[in-house]
Amino acid sequence: MVFSRRTFLSVSALVLASGRPAAAAPARCGDHPWCAPGLPPDERASLLLRELTLPEKISLLGGDDLVGPAGMPGGHTGTGNGVERLDVPPVHYGDGPIGARQGNGTAMPATIALAAGFDRDLASRYGAAVANEIKLKGNDVVFGPTADIVRTPLSGRTFEGFGEDPHLTSRLAVSWIGGAHREGLIVCVKHFAAYNQEGVLGAVGSRMTYDAIVDERTLREIHLPPFEAAVREAGVGAVMGSYNRLNGQYACENQWLLNDLLKGEWGFAGYTIADYGATRNTGNSLSNGLDFEPWPALVYSPPAISAALAAGRASTADVDDHAHRILRTMFAHGLFDRPPFPPDDSSIDREAHLELAGEVAEHGTTLLVNDGVLPLDENALRGGRIAVIGEAANRFVQGGGSSSVTPFEVVTPRQGIERRAGAEITVSYHPGGDPRAAAAAARDADVAIIFAADLQSEFVDKPGLDVDAGLVSFPPPAAGNPLVDQDAVVEAVVAANPNAVVVLETGGPVLTPWRHRVRALLEAWYPGANAGTALARVLFGDVDPGGRLPVTFPARESDLPTAGDPKRYPGIAERVHYSEGVFVGYRHYDGAGIEPAFPFGHGLSYTEFEYADLRVDGMTATASVTNAGDRRGFAVPQLYLGLPSPSAEVRQPPKQLKGFRKIALEPGETAEVTFELTERDLSYWDETSKSWRIAPGRVAVLVGESSRDIRLTAELPV
């Protein structure tokens, strides 16, 4: 949308995870036939719908708050006022996927950092914490999570999603949604569908106008699975439509996408919501499956809807269906059967949520390079100096747009390192704007830690993958001075100090031309409000770096799946052809034989893990993982399948992620990990039969530390 300790407070009307309301809760429903909580939600909605006038039904389809998207304290991102005459309560909507945007909130690490954690439980706790604050801002619906696949890391919203793989995205999104449901909120997953670039407003490839030309196999195997899982497994109450067109029709008025697939084939019983400003045509939206326009509610204004009905471009049956879906979802999630959630910032457990933000950052911080300089040796550094270089170390780094959060409090990396170093280790700081000055500041230090950050934002894609490519430079240049070149600062510091460690705070992959010359490289993503505490703990080895890459880091920008073909990106004449097909992310690098800088799934530990005894019994694969080092660490065994290609025309990638686990192991400890496979894991979408099919042959079963570090192999005959 546009504009820019865990706690579960008990509420007497808290909705159960199943979506059924507690019968004894104080109700807002009044004394009406539809207020009996024992009745099914559909029946209750039907009883109420019969009593609504046509204008009242129409009023339910559009939002009633024009200023909410500004994110002001005490407001809501959106509001539907309800129908007071029949005790239909208002519905309040709140951003977002990374934290509450009304006033101040706990800024969690970006979703891409959560994805790097490869941890379902952590995703559930993250979703619960975000939803808790959204609830305590007085909202009923949370806009999130973002489940769009990273097709190109140039996309301005890369940081908002779970990365480039549909299996990882699906599993973590389902866990996120489950956590949010425990807080009693309606979850609105976004953005449906094939929304993979921002472009630049008014230029070719803008999100407002581009038409994603995608074959059905690519949709079914890559871009739709996270949304299907959100609907069929997690039971989301709402799905947000995206800005772009999909195969000729805008997503928010797309008959196949909203009616045939989502509501028909998948059996979605909730309601569809347009992203803010994503609606175009009243009649098409009404007849093709859009239920609610939250803002600015011009396309779904009462005059616009009445005009469309009068002209025969939609029917009253369409209006009834949309109103019924909204009411049915409100009943299913208990909005009628509980008191409103009052806005109360004082009830937010800020300490617990800040602690969780730090835990997520620790688990997401990904060690890409390490020749032994990390973890820092506290004893060896006593009486010495750590030079912290880079303006990004001294501020709160986050992405822009509707996922930006004004944090209650922030611990910067500089603060975290200074606190952890204590009085016996000197920590100096230099903003790093000038390479020569930065080198001088680092030259006599025992260790130099260079921080570099990019800026991703909703509204605009990055012009390139250099760390400096973005909307602005950091820090802003003084009058007459050139823009800061963070790569040049890294090169200068590396030349001045042999013990150089680089920490990246980026929303996704960036180029790392100096990666072979640094002693250690950490990807911290946008690490949230407690970044300093988390990064200091990782740097000093108080905790193992828990992250693995949810996106491939290319060696060159020309290696991207969309590179070199303007039809693929940013598009020509507003048509973006997804001709790479299913070869997205690591599937592309593997299929084309391209060596990335750092592969999908990669991430080093401060210990070593040994893999053994891969066994495949039917649809179950098991393997043993042993901590062969002398430190406690996190292992993230990953299971990939190499599926046989049905034909020369229908190629399969060399491998596809179909399972992962995250386990903490003490030195010498062994754990057996189990991966349960499904028929869907073995299937491809057959365009001819329009169904999931399994190609005969032998399936390669691969278990390892990353997509390029396979430790064990076996076969599964199909």
Side-chain angles (χ1 to χ4, degrees), residues 695-717:
R698 305 190 72 83
V699 175
V701 181
L702 316 168
V703 174
E705 296 251 280
S706 79
S707 61
R708 291 292 179 99
D709 185 3
I710 301 300
R711 304 291 182 87
L712 305 172
T713 62
E715 282 191 339
L716 172 64

Side-chain angles (χ1 to χ4, degrees), residues 541-544 605-610 624-636 662-672:
D542 302 326
V543 64
D544 200 43
S605 168
Y606 290 150
T607 187
E608 297 291 333
F609 299 103
E610 294 179 350
S624 295
V625 183
T626 300
N627 184 344
D630 58 3
R631 301 175 62 94
R632 182 179 188 270
F634 294 111
V636 185
K662 187 163 196 175
I663 49 177
L665 295 176
E666 300 293 338
E669 184 180 3
T670 297
E672 185 174 84

Side-chain angles (χ1 to χ4, degrees), residues 421-599:
E424 297 186 34
I425 302 173
T426 300
V427 177
S428 64
Y429 168 72
H430 188 280
D434 175 72
R436 288 186 180 182
R443 184 163 288 114
D444 297 325
D446 296 273
V447 177
I449 307 175
I450 314 116
F451 285 79
D454 74 347
L455 176 60
Q456 289 186 356
S457 181
E458 182 182 3
F459 313 119
V460 60
D461 285 348
K462 294 178 63 174
L465 281 186
D466 293 336
V467 70
D468 294 311
L471 299 177
V472 296
S473 69
F474 294 121
N481 290 339
L483 297 178
V484 173
D485 185 339
Q486 294 178 99
D487 284 329
V489 171
V490 172
E491 296 281 11
V493 171
V494 168
N497 190 316
N499 293 326
V501 175
V502 175
V503 179
L504 293 172
E505 294 181 79
T506 65
V510 293
L511 298 180
T512 53
W514 28 259
R515 62 187 176 277
H516 299 299
R517 295 187 290 280
V518 299
R519 293 200 62 188
L521 171 59
L522 280 167
E523 173 57 79
W525 318 102
Y526 296 150
N530 207 5
T533 304
L535 287 171
R537 281 171 50 79
V538 170
L539 287 166
F540 279 90
D542 302 326
V543 64
D544 200 43
R548 305 296 186 266
L549 289 182
V551 281
T552 303
F553 274 51
R556 295 164 295 276
E557 193 167 321
S558 58
D559 291 341
L560 292 176
T562 56
D565 187 349
K567 290 182 179 180
R568 288 187 181 179
Y569 178 82
I572 294 177
E574 297 307 323
R575 291 167 65 85
V576 179
H577 293 264
Y578 285 48
S579 54
E580 74 281 355
V582 299
F583 289 83
V584 174
Y586 67 91
R587 292 164 168 82
H588 158 74
Y589 292 89
D590 289 350
I594 298 172
E595 188 69 25
F598 303 107

Side-chain angles (χ1 to χ4, degrees), residues 625-662:
V625 183
T626 300
N627 184 344
D630 58 3
R631 301 175 62 94
R632 182 179 188 270
F634 294 111
V636 185
Q638 302 156 39
L639 180 140
Y640 297 85
L641 295 183
L643 302 179
S645 294
S647 67
E649 293 75 29
V650 183
R651 294 190 304 127
Q652 290 283 19
K655 66 179 76 72
Q656 305 175 47
L657 182 74
K658 297 297 181 181
F660 61 91
R661 297 289 184 272
K662 187 163 196 175

Side-chain angles (χ1 to χ4, degrees), residues 347-506:
S347 294
I348 295 173
D349 193 337
R350 301 184 188 184
E351 180 182 353
H353 290 180
L354 187 68
E355 182 178 316
L356 177 61
E359 185 180 352
V360 173
E362 291 172 7
H363 277 268
T365 298
T366 308
L367 182 60
L368 301 178
V369 173
N370 187 26
D371 73 352
V373 68
L374 293 182
L376 298 176
D377 188 331
E378 187 175 358
N379 293 324
L381 286 170
R382 284 197 176 102
R385 180 168 70 93
I386 298 173
V388 175
I389 310 292
E391 189 268 350
N394 202 37
R395 64 178 177 87
F396 171 57
V397 176
Q398 68 170 337
S402 60
S403 286
S404 60
V405 179
T406 303
F408 288 126
E409 60 180 297
V410 169
V411 181
T412 67
R414 177 186 178 184
Q415 290 171 329
I417 292 170
E418 288 174 342
R419 293 173 187 176
R420 179 60 183 81
E424 297 186 34
I425 302 173
T426 300
V427 177
S428 64
Y429 168 72
H430 188 280
D434 175 72
R436 288 186 180 182
R443 184 163 288 114
D444 297 325
D446 296 273
V447 177
I449 307 175
I450 314 116
F451 285 79
D454 74 347
L455 176 60
Q456 289 186 356
S457 181
E458 182 182 3
F459 313 119
V460 60
D461 285 348
K462 294 178 63 174
L465 281 186
D466 293 336
V467 70
D468 294 311
L471 299 177
V472 296
S473 69
F474 294 121
N481 290 339
L483 297 178
V484 173
D485 185 339
Q486 294 178 99
D487 284 329
V489 171
V490 172
E491 296 281 11
V493 171
V494 168
N497 190 316
N499 293 326
V501 175
V502 175
V503 179
L504 293 172
E505 294 181 79
T506 65

